[in-house]
Amino acid sequence: ESKPNESIQKVELGQKSGQNVFLFTIQKDAKFLGIIPIKMEIKREVNAETQTIKEERPWWSFLVFG
């Protein structure tokens, strides 16, 4: 389920280490330094068998709010 300020851009089904995974590319509306509006890309990997979630964000995401 995506949040109000997130939109799912792409969904893929793949395999990793012999297990099925869903790969989501998400675009999030946020504010850089709390001031400048930006769109940040987030990648989420959901293991369909173990239901574990891994999230990958840009290195500068600690400067983003919202």
Side-chain angles (χ1 to χ4, degrees):
E1 179 177 326
S2 63
K3 298 176 184 173
N5 61 343
E6 294 180 351
S7 62
I8 298 171
Q9 300 297 310
K10 188 164 125 181
V11 179
E12 297 178 58
L13 178 61
Q15 287 220 332
K16 191 171 188 181
S17 301
Q19 295 184 333
N20 293 324
V21 293
F22 289 99
L23 304 166
F24 295 90
T25 302
I26 298 164
Q27 192 170 58
K28 179 177 181 175
D29 293 326
K31 291 193 177 183
F32 184 72
L33 298 175
I35 303 170
I36 304 164
I38 63 164
K39 293 189 182 291
M40 180 171 65
E41 185 175 281
I42 301 169
K43 296 188 184 262
R44 286 192 186 130
E45 178 182 296
V46 180
N47 187 313
E49 296 173 26
T50 63
Q51 285 94 35
T52 56
I53 300 171
K54 292 182 184 174
E55 188 168 271
E56 184 180 310
R57 295 173 174 254
W59 68 268
W60 44 266
S61 65
F62 69 95
L63 297 172
V64 174
F65 302 95

